[in-house]
Amino acid sequence: MPQTASSNLTPAQIQDLQESFNTFDRNNDGTISRRELHSLLHTVGHKVNAQGLENLLTKYDTDKSGTIDFKEFLSLTALLIKNKVSSN
Ligand SMILES: [Ca+2]
């Protein structure tokens, strides 16, 4: 498996995440918009306000496109999984 930012995820997890990504990419344009991201975070139980959402976008939208692509989504999800684990 190639070394990437998401190398701590197993191929099975990445496949699951691809399915999640597709689910949240409601208009199937290959990216998750601000609105789609907000809905995603709510679904996984992370309640963020507008500022929190903005902070996440600023941090993870590494190419500054204003949306989250799958690679950026993996970095974000790795953090969410980590937070979930450490909060248990
Ligand atoms: Ca989209």
Coordinates of all heavy atoms in Angstrom, one line a residue:
M1 N 0.8 -1.2 0.0 CA 0.0 0.0 0.0 C 0.9 1.2 0.0 O 1.8 1.4 0.8 CB -0.9 0.0 1.3 CG -1.9 1.0 1.3 SD -2.9 0.8 2.8 CE -3.8 2.4 2.7
P2 N 0.6 2.2 -0.9 CA 1.5 3.4 -1.0 C 1.4 4.3 0.3 O 0.3 4.3 0.9 CB 1.0 4.1 -2.2 CG -0.3 3.5 -2.6 CD -0.4 2.2 -1.8
Q3 N 2.4 4.9 0.6 CA 2.4 5.8 1.7 C 1.7 7.1 1.4 O 2.1 7.8 0.5 CB 3.9 6.2 2.1 CG 4.6 5.1 2.9 CD 4.0 4.8 4.2 OE1 3.7 5.8 5.0 NE2 3.8 3.6 4.6
T4 N 0.6 7.3 2.0 CA -0.2 8.6 1.8 C -0.5 9.1 3.2 O -0.3 8.5 4.2 CB -1.5 8.3 1.0 OG1 -2.3 7.5 1.8 CG2 -1.2 7.6 -0.3
A5 N -1.2 10.2 3.1 CA -1.7 10.8 4.4 C -2.7 9.9 5.1 O -2.9 10.0 6.3 CB -2.4 12.2 4.1
S6 N -3.3 9.0 4.3 CA -4.3 8.1 4.9 C -3.7 6.7 5.1 O -4.5 5.7 5.1 CB -5.5 8.1 4.0 OG -5.1 7.7 2.7
S7 N -2.4 6.6 5.2 CA -1.8 5.2 5.2 C -2.2 4.5 6.5 O -1.9 3.3 6.6 CB -0.3 5.3 5.1 OG 0.2 6.1 6.2
N8 N -2.7 5.2 7.5 CA -3.2 4.5 8.7 C -4.5 3.8 8.5 O -5.0 3.2 9.4 CB -3.2 5.4 9.9 CG -4.0 6.7 9.7 OD1 -4.1 7.1 8.5 ND2 -4.5 7.3 10.7
L9 N -5.1 4.0 7.4 CA -6.4 3.4 7.1 C -6.2 2.1 6.3 O -5.3 2.0 5.4 CB -7.3 4.3 6.3 CG -7.8 5.6 7.0 CD1 -8.5 6.5 6.0 CD2 -8.6 5.3 8.2
T10 N -7.0 1.1 6.6 CA -6.9 -0.2 5.8 C -7.6 0.0 4.5 O -8.5 0.9 4.4 CB -7.5 -1.3 6.6 OG1 -8.9 -1.1 6.7 CG2 -6.9 -1.5 8.0
P11 N -7.3 -0.8 3.5 CA -8.0 -0.7 2.2 C -9.5 -0.9 2.4 O -10.3 -0.2 1.7 CB -7.4 -1.9 1.4 CG -6.1 -2.1 1.9 CD -6.2 -1.8 3.4
A12 N -9.9 -1.8 3.3 CA -11.4 -1.9 3.5 C -12.0 -0.7 4.1 O -13.1 -0.3 3.7 CB -11.6 -3.1 4.5
Q13 N -11.3 0.0 5.0 CA -11.8 1.3 5.5 C -11.9 2.3 4.4 O -12.9 3.1 4.4 CB -10.8 1.8 6.6 CG -11.0 1.1 8.0 CD -10.1 1.6 9.0 OE1 -8.9 1.7 8.8 NE2 -10.6 2.0 10.2
I14 N -10.9 2.4 3.6 CA -10.9 3.3 2.5 C -12.1 3.1 1.5 O -12.8 4.0 1.1 CB -9.5 3.3 1.7 CG1 -8.5 3.9 2.6 CG2 -9.6 4.1 0.4 CD1 -7.1 3.9 2.0
Q15 N -12.4 1.8 1.3 CA -13.5 1.4 0.5 C -14.8 1.9 1.1 O -15.7 2.5 0.4 CB -13.5 -0.1 0.2 CG -14.5 -0.4 -1.0 CD -14.5 -1.9 -1.2 OE1 -13.6 -2.6 -0.9 NE2 -15.6 -2.3 -1.9
D16 N -14.9 1.7 2.4 CA -16.1 2.1 3.2 C -16.2 3.6 3.1 O -17.3 4.2 2.9 CB -16.0 1.8 4.6 CG -16.3 0.3 4.9 OD1 -16.8 -0.4 4.0 OD2 -16.1 -0.2 6.0
L17 N -15.1 4.3 3.2 CA -15.1 5.8 3.2 C -15.5 6.3 1.8 O -16.1 7.3 1.7 CB -13.7 6.3 3.6 CG -13.5 6.1 5.1 CD1 -12.0 6.5 5.4 CD2 -14.4 6.9 6.0
Q18 N -15.1 5.5 0.8 CA -15.4 5.9 -0.6 C -17.0 5.9 -0.8 O -17.6 6.8 -1.3 CB -14.8 5.0 -1.6 CG -15.1 5.4 -3.1 CD -14.5 6.7 -3.6 OE1 -13.3 6.7 -3.7 NE2 -15.3 7.7 -3.8
E19 N -17.6 4.8 -0.2 CA -19.0 4.7 -0.2 C -19.7 5.9 0.6 O -20.7 6.4 0.1 CB -19.5 3.4 0.3 CG -19.2 2.3 -0.7 CD -19.3 0.9 -0.1 OE1 -20.0 0.7 1.0 OE2 -18.8 -0.1 -0.7
S20 N -19.1 6.2 1.7 CA -19.6 7.3 2.5 C -19.5 8.6 1.8 O -20.5 9.4 1.7 CB -18.9 7.5 3.8 OG -18.9 6.3 4.6
F21 N -18.4 8.8 1.1 CA -18.1 10.0 0.4 C -19.2 10.1 -0.7 O -19.8 11.2 -0.9 CB -16.7 9.9 -0.2 CG -16.3 11.2 -1.0 CD1 -15.7 12.2 -0.4 CD2 -16.5 11.3 -2.4 CE1 -15.3 13.4 -1.1 CE2 -16.1 12.4 -3.1 CZ -15.5 13.4 -2.4
N22 N -19.4 9.0 -1.4 CA -20.4 9.0 -2.5 C -21.8 9.3 -2.0 O -22.6 10.0 -2.6 CB -20.4 7.7 -3.3 CG -19.1 7.5 -4.0 OD1 -18.4 8.4 -4.3 ND2 -18.9 6.2 -4.4
T23 N -22.1 8.8 -0.8 CA -23.4 9.1 -0.2 C -23.6 10.6 0.1 O -24.6 11.2 -0.1 CB -23.5 8.3 1.2 OG1 -23.4 6.9 0.9 CG2 -24.9 8.5 1.8
F24 N -22.5 11.2 0.7 CA -22.6 12.6 1.1 C -22.4 13.6 -0.1 O -22.9 14.7 0.0 CB -21.6 12.9 2.2 CG -22.1 12.3 3.5 CD1 -21.4 11.2 4.0 CD2 -23.2 12.8 4.1 CE1 -21.9 10.6 5.2 CE2 -23.6 12.3 5.3 CZ -23.0 11.2 5.9
D25 N -21.8 13.1 -1.2 CA -21.7 13.9 -2.4 C -23.0 13.8 -3.1 O -23.1 13.1 -4.1 CB -20.5 13.3 -3.2 CG -20.3 14.1 -4.5 OD1 -20.9 15.2 -4.6 OD2 -19.7 13.6 -5.4
R26 N -24.0 14.5 -2.6 CA -25.4 14.3 -3.1 C -25.5 14.6 -4.6 O -26.4 14.0 -5.2 CB -26.3 15.3 -2.3 CG -26.2 14.9 -0.8 CD -27.6 14.7 -0.2 NE -27.5 14.2 1.1 CZ -27.7 14.9 2.2 NH1 -28.0 16.1 2.2 NH2 -27.5 14.3 3.4
N27 N -24.8 15.6 -5.1 CA -25.0 15.9 -6.5 C -24.0 15.2 -7.4 O -23.8 15.5 -8.6 CB -25.0 17.5 -6.7 CG -23.7 18.1 -6.3 OD1 -22.8 17.4 -5.8 ND2 -23.6 19.4 -6.5
N28 N -23.2 14.3 -6.8 CA -22.3 13.5 -7.5 C -21.3 14.3 -8.4 O -21.0 13.8 -9.5 CB -23.0 12.5 -8.4 CG -23.8 11.5 -7.6 OD1 -23.3 10.9 -6.6 ND2 -25.0 11.3 -7.9
D29 N -20.8 15.4 -7.9 CA -19.8 16.1 -8.6 C -18.4 15.8 -8.2 O -17.4 16.4 -8.7 CB -20.1 17.6 -8.6 CG -19.9 18.2 -7.2 OD1 -19.7 17.4 -6.2 OD2 -20.0 19.4 -7.0
G30 N -18.2 14.8 -7.3 CA -16.9 14.4 -7.0 C -16.3 15.1 -5.8 O -15.1 14.9 -5.4
T31 N -17.0 16.1 -5.3 CA -16.5 16.9 -4.2 C -17.6 17.1 -3.1 O -18.8 17.0 -3.5 CB -16.0 18.3 -4.6 OG1 -17.1 19.0 -5.1 CG2 -14.9 18.2 -5.6
I32 N -17.3 17.3 -1.9 CA -18.2 17.6 -0.9 C -18.2 19.1 -0.6 O -17.2 19.7 -0.2 CB -17.9 16.8 0.4 CG1 -18.2 15.3 0.1 CG2 -18.7 17.2 1.6 CD1 -18.0 14.3 1.2
S33 N -19.3 19.7 -0.8 CA -19.4 21.2 -0.6 C -19.6 21.5 0.9 O -19.8 20.6 1.7 CB -20.6 21.7 -1.4 OG -21.8 21.2 -0.8
R34 N -19.6 22.8 1.2 CA -19.8 23.2 2.5 C -21.1 22.6 3.1 O -21.1 22.1 4.2 CB -19.8 24.8 2.5 CG -20.0 25.4 3.8 CD -20.1 26.9 3.7 NE -18.8 27.6 3.8 CZ -18.0 27.9 2.8 NH1 -18.4 27.7 1.5 NH2 -16.9 28.6 2.9
R35 N -22.1 22.7 2.3 CA -23.4 22.2 2.8 C -23.4 20.7 3.0 O -23.9 20.2 4.0 CB -24.5 22.6 1.8 CG -25.9 22.2 2.2 CD -26.9 22.7 1.3 NE -27.1 24.1 1.3 CZ -28.1 24.7 0.7 NH1 -29.0 24.1 0.0 NH2 -28.2 26.0 0.8
E36 N -22.8 20.0 2.1 CA -22.7 18.6 2.2 C -21.8 18.2 3.4 O -22.1 17.2 4.1 CB -22.1 18.0 0.9 CG -23.1 18.0 -0.3 CD -22.5 17.8 -1.6 OE1 -21.3 17.9 -1.8 OE2 -23.3 17.6 -2.6
L37 N -20.8 18.9 3.6 CA -19.9 18.6 4.8 C -20.6 18.8 6.1 O -20.5 18.0 7.0 CB -18.7 19.5 4.7 CG -17.7 19.4 5.9 CD1 -17.1 18.0 5.9 CD2 -16.6 20.4 5.8
H38 N -21.4 19.9 6.1 CA -22.2 20.1 7.4 C -23.1 19.0 7.7 O -23.2 18.5 8.8 CB -23.0 21.4 7.2 CG -23.6 21.9 8.5 ND1 -25.0 21.9 8.7 CD2 -23.1 22.3 9.6 CE1 -25.2 22.3 9.9 NE2 -24.1 22.6 10.5
S39 N -23.8 18.5 6.7 CA -24.7 17.4 6.8 C -24.0 16.1 7.2 O -24.4 15.3 8.1 CB -25.5 17.2 5.5 OG -25.7 15.9 5.2
L40 N -22.8 15.9 6.6 CA -22.0 14.8 7.0 C -21.6 14.8 8.4 O -21.7 13.8 9.2 CB -20.7 14.8 6.1 CG -19.6 13.7 6.2 CD1 -18.8 13.7 5.0 CD2 -18.7 13.9 7.4
L41 N -21.1 15.9 8.9 CA -20.7 16.0 10.3 C -21.8 15.8 11.3 O -21.6 15.1 12.3 CB -20.0 17.4 10.5 CG -18.7 17.7 9.8 CD1 -18.3 19.1 9.9 CD2 -17.6 16.8 10.4
H42 N -23.0 16.3 10.9 CA -24.1 16.1 11.8 C -24.5 14.6 11.8 O -24.8 14.0 12.9 CB -25.4 16.8 11.2 CG -25.7 18.0 12.0 ND1 -26.7 18.0 12.9 CD2 -25.1 19.2 12.1 CE1 -26.8 19.2 13.5 NE2 -25.8 19.9 13.0
T43 N -24.4 13.9 10.7 CA -24.7 12.5 10.6 C -23.8 11.7 11.5 O -24.2 10.7 12.1 CB -24.6 12.0 9.2 OG1 -25.6 12.8 8.4 CG2 -25.0 10.5 9.0
V44 N -22.5 12.0 11.5 CA -21.5 11.2 12.3 C -21.5 11.7 13.8 O -20.7 11.3 14.6 CB -20.1 11.2 11.7 CG1 -20.1 10.6 10.3 CG2 -19.5 12.6 11.7
G45 N -22.3 12.7 14.1 CA -22.5 13.1 15.5 C -21.5 14.2 15.9 O -21.4 14.5 17.1
H46 N -20.9 14.9 14.9 CA -20.0 16.1 15.2 C -20.9 17.3 15.0 O -21.1 17.7 13.8 CB -18.8 16.1 14.4 CG -17.7 15.1 14.9 ND1 -16.6 15.5 15.6 CD2 -17.6 13.8 14.7 CE1 -15.9 14.4 15.9 NE2 -16.5 13.4 15.4
K47 N -21.3 17.9 16.0 CA -22.1 19.1 15.8 C -21.2 20.3 15.8 O -20.5 20.6 16.7 CB -23.1 19.3 17.0 CG -24.2 18.2 16.9 CD -25.4 18.6 17.8 CE -26.6 17.6 17.5 NZ -26.4 16.3 18.1
V48 N -21.1 21.0 14.6 CA -20.3 22.1 14.5 C -21.1 23.4 14.2 O -22.1 23.2 13.5 CB -19.2 21.9 13.4 CG1 -18.2 20.9 13.8 CG2 -19.8 21.6 12.1
N49 N -20.7 24.5 14.6 CA -21.4 25.7 14.2 C -20.7 26.2 12.9 O -19.8 25.6 12.4 CB -21.3 26.8 15.3 CG -19.8 27.1 15.7 OD1 -18.9 26.8 15.0 ND2 -19.7 27.6 16.9
A50 N -21.2 27.4 12.4 CA -20.7 27.9 11.2 C -19.2 28.1 11.2 O -18.5 27.8 10.2 CB -21.4 29.2 10.8
Q51 N -18.7 28.6 12.3 CA -17.3 28.9 12.4 C -16.5 27.6 12.5 O -15.4 27.5 11.8 CB -17.0 29.7 13.7 CG -15.6 30.2 13.9 CD -15.2 31.1 12.7 OE1 -15.9 32.1 12.4 NE2 -14.1 30.7 12.0
G52 N -17.0 26.6 13.2 CA -16.3 25.3 13.2 C -16.2 24.7 11.8 O -15.2 24.1 11.5
L53 N -17.3 24.8 11.1 CA -17.3 24.3 9.7 C -16.3 25.0 8.9 O -15.6 24.4 8.1 CB -18.7 24.5 9.2 CG -19.0 23.8 7.8 CD1 -18.9 22.3 7.9 CD2 -20.4 24.3 7.3
E54 N -16.3 26.3 9.0 CA -15.3 27.1 8.3 C -13.9 26.8 8.6 O -13.0 26.6 7.7 CB -15.6 28.6 8.6 CG -15.3 29.6 7.5 CD -16.1 29.2 6.2 OE1 -17.3 29.0 6.3 OE2 -15.5 29.2 5.2
N55 N -13.6 26.5 9.9 CA -12.3 26.1 10.3 C -11.9 24.8 9.7 O -10.7 24.7 9.2 CB -12.2 26.0 11.9 CG -12.3 27.4 12.5 OD1 -12.2 28.4 11.9 ND2 -12.6 27.4 13.8
L56 N -12.8 23.8 9.7 CA -12.5 22.5 9.1 C -12.2 22.7 7.6 O -11.3 22.1 7.1 CB -13.7 21.6 9.3 CG -13.7 20.9 10.7 CD1 -15.0 20.1 10.8 CD2 -12.5 20.1 11.0
L57 N -13.0 23.5 6.9 CA -12.8 23.7 5.5 C -11.5 24.3 5.2 O -10.7 23.9 4.4 CB -14.0 24.6 4.9 CG -15.1 23.8 4.3 CD1 -16.2 24.8 3.8 CD2 -14.6 23.0 3.1
T58 N -11.2 25.3 6.0 CA -9.9 26.0 5.9 C -8.7 25.1 6.0 O -7.7 25.1 5.3 CB -9.8 27.2 6.9 OG1 -10.9 28.1 6.7 CG2 -8.5 28.0 6.7
K59 N -8.9 24.2 7.0 CA -7.8 23.3 7.4 C -7.6 22.2 6.4 O -6.5 21.8 6.0 CB -8.0 22.7 8.8 CG -6.8 22.0 9.3 CD -7.0 21.7 10.8 CE -5.8 20.9 11.4 NZ -6.1 20.4 12.7
Y60 N -8.8 21.6 5.9 CA -8.7 20.4 5.1 C -8.9 20.6 3.6 O -8.6 19.7 2.8 CB -9.7 19.4 5.6 CG -9.2 18.8 6.9 CD1 -9.7 19.3 8.1 CD2 -8.2 17.8 7.0 CE1 -9.2 18.8 9.3 CE2 -7.8 17.4 8.2 CZ -8.3 17.9 9.3 OH -7.8 17.4 10.5
D61 N -9.4 21.8 3.2 CA -9.5 22.1 1.8 C -8.1 22.6 1.4 O -7.9 23.7 1.1 CB -10.5 23.2 1.6 CG -10.6 23.6 0.2 OD1 -10.2 22.8 -0.7 OD2 -11.1 24.7 -0.1
T62 N -7.2 21.6 1.2 CA -5.8 22.0 1.0 C -5.5 22.6 -0.3 O -4.5 23.4 -0.5 CB -4.8 20.7 1.2 OG1 -5.4 19.6 0.4 CG2 -4.8 20.3 2.6
D63 N -6.3 22.4 -1.3 CA -6.1 23.0 -2.6 C -7.0 24.3 -2.8 O -7.1 24.9 -3.8 CB -6.3 22.1 -3.8 CG -7.8 21.6 -3.9 OD1 -8.6 21.9 -3.0 OD2 -8.1 20.7 -4.7
K64 N -7.7 24.7 -1.6 CA -8.4 25.9 -1.6 C -9.5 26.0 -2.7 O -9.8 27.1 -3.2 CB -7.5 27.2 -1.7 CG -6.4 27.2 -0.7 CD -6.9 27.4 0.7 CE -5.8 27.2 1.7 NZ -6.2 26.7 3.0
S65 N -10.1 24.9 -3.0 CA -11.2 24.9 -4.0 C -12.5 25.3 -3.4 O -13.5 25.5 -4.1 CB -11.3 23.5 -4.6 OG -11.6 22.5 -3.7
G66 N -12.6 25.3 -2.1 CA -13.9 25.6 -1.4 C -14.7 24.4 -1.2 O -15.8 24.5 -0.6
T67 N -14.2 23.2 -1.6 CA -14.9 22.0 -1.4 C -13.9 20.9 -1.0 O -12.7 21.1 -1.1 CB -15.6 21.5 -2.7 OG1 -14.6 21.4 -3.7 CG2 -16.7 22.4 -3.1
I68 N -14.4 19.8 -0.5 CA -13.6 18.7 0.0 C -13.6 17.6 -1.0 O -14.7 17.0 -1.3 CB -14.1 18.2 1.4 CG1 -14.1 19.3 2.4 CG2 -13.4 16.9 1.8 CD1 -12.7 19.7 2.9
D69 N -12.4 17.3 -1.6 CA -12.4 16.2 -2.5 C -12.1 14.9 -1.7 O -11.9 14.9 -0.5 CB -11.4 16.4 -3.7 CG -10.0 16.5 -3.2 OD1 -9.7 16.0 -2.1 OD2 -9.2 17.1 -4.0
F70 N -12.0 13.7 -2.4 CA -11.9 12.5 -1.7 C -10.6 12.4 -0.8 O -10.6 11.9 0.3 CB -12.0 11.3 -2.6 CG -12.0 10.0 -1.8 CD1 -13.0 9.7 -0.9 CD2 -11.0 9.0 -2.1 CE1 -13.0 8.5 -0.2 CE2 -11.0 7.8 -1.4 CZ -12.0 7.5 -0.4
K71 N -9.5 12.9 -1.4 CA -8.3 12.9 -0.7 C -8.3 13.7 0.6 O -7.9 13.3 1.7 CB -7.2 13.4 -1.6 CG -5.8 13.1 -1.2 CD -4.8 13.6 -2.3 CE -3.4 13.9 -1.6 NZ -2.6 14.7 -2.5
E72 N -8.9 14.9 0.5 CA -9.1 15.8 1.6 C -10.1 15.1 2.6 O -9.9 15.2 3.8 CB -9.6 17.1 1.1 CG -8.6 17.9 0.3 CD -9.1 19.1 -0.5 OE1 -10.4 19.2 -0.6 OE2 -8.3 19.8 -1.0
F73 N -11.1 14.5 2.1 CA -12.1 13.8 2.9 C -11.4 12.7 3.8 O -11.7 12.6 5.0 CB -13.1 13.2 2.0 CG -14.2 12.3 2.7 CD1 -15.2 12.9 3.4 CD2 -14.1 10.9 2.6 CE1 -16.1 12.1 4.1 CE2 -15.1 10.1 3.2 CZ -16.1 10.7 3.9
L74 N -10.4 12.0 3.2 CA -9.7 11.0 3.9 C -8.9 11.6 5.1 O -8.9 11.0 6.2 CB -8.7 10.2 3.0 CG -9.3 9.2 2.1 CD1 -8.2 8.5 1.3 CD2 -10.2 8.2 2.8
S75 N -8.3 12.7 4.9 CA -7.5 13.4 6.0 C -8.5 13.8 7.1 O -8.2 13.6 8.3 CB -6.8 14.6 5.5 OG -6.1 14.3 4.4
L76 N -9.6 14.3 6.7 CA -10.6 14.8 7.6 C -11.2 13.6 8.4 O -11.3 13.7 9.6 CB -11.7 15.5 6.9 CG -13.0 15.9 7.7 CD1 -12.6 17.0 8.7 CD2 -14.0 16.5 6.8
T77 N -11.5 12.5 7.7 CA -12.1 11.4 8.4 C -11.1 10.7 9.3 O -11.5 10.2 10.4 CB -12.6 10.4 7.3 OG1 -13.4 11.1 6.4 CG2 -13.4 9.3 7.9
A78 N -9.8 10.7 8.9 CA -8.8 10.1 9.8 C -8.8 10.8 11.1 O -8.7 10.2 12.2 CB -7.4 10.2 9.1
L79 N -9.0 12.1 11.1 CA -9.1 12.9 12.3 C -10.4 12.6 13.1 O -10.3 12.4 14.3 CB -9.1 14.4 12.0 CG -9.3 15.3 13.2 CD1 -8.0 15.7 13.8 CD2 -10.0 16.6 12.8
L80 N -11.5 12.5 12.4 CA -12.7 12.2 13.1 C -12.7 10.8 13.8 O -13.1 10.6 14.9 CB -13.9 12.2 12.1 CG -14.2 13.6 11.5 CD1 -15.4 13.5 10.5 CD2 -14.5 14.6 12.5
I81 N -12.1 9.8 13.1 CA -12.0 8.5 13.6 C -11.1 8.5 14.9 O -11.4 7.9 15.9 CB -11.4 7.5 12.6 CG1 -12.4 7.3 11.5 CG2 -11.0 6.2 13.2 CD1 -11.9 6.5 10.3
K82 N -10.0 9.3 14.8 CA -9.0 9.4 15.9 C -9.7 10.0 17.1 O -9.6 9.5 18.2 CB -7.9 10.3 15.4 CG -6.6 10.1 16.2 CD -5.5 10.8 15.5 CE -4.5 11.4 16.5 NZ -3.6 12.4 15.9
N83 N -10.5 11.1 16.8 CA -11.2 11.8 17.9 C -12.2 10.8 18.6 O -12.3 10.8 19.8 CB -11.9 13.0 17.4 CG -11.0 14.2 17.2 OD1 -9.8 14.1 17.5 ND2 -11.5 15.2 16.6
K84 N -12.9 10.1 17.7 CA -13.9 9.1 18.2 C -13.2 8.1 19.1 O -13.7 7.8 20.2 CB -14.5 8.4 17.0 CG -15.9 7.8 17.4 CD -16.5 7.4 16.1 CE -17.9 6.7 16.4 NZ -18.5 6.2 15.2
V85 N -12.1 7.6 18.7 CA -11.4 6.6 19.4 C -10.8 7.2 20.7 O -11.0 6.6 21.8 CB -10.2 6.0 18.6 CG1 -9.2 5.2 19.5 CG2 -10.7 5.2 17.5
S86 N -10.2 8.3 20.7 CA -9.6 8.9 21.9 C -10.7 9.4 22.9 O -10.4 9.5 24.1 CB -8.7 10.0 21.5 OG -9.4 11.1 20.9
S87 N -11.9 9.6 22.4 CA -12.9 10.1 23.4 C -13.6 9.0 24.0 O -14.5 9.2 24.9 CB -13.9 11.0 22.6 OG -14.7 10.2 21.7
N88 N -13.3 7.7 23.7 CA -14.0 6.6 24.3 C -13.3 6.2 25.6 O -12.1 6.0 25.7 CB -13.9 5.4 23.4 CG -15.1 5.4 22.3 OD1 -16.0 6.1 22.5 ND2 -14.9 4.7 21.3
Ligands
CA1 CA -20.8 17.5 -4.3

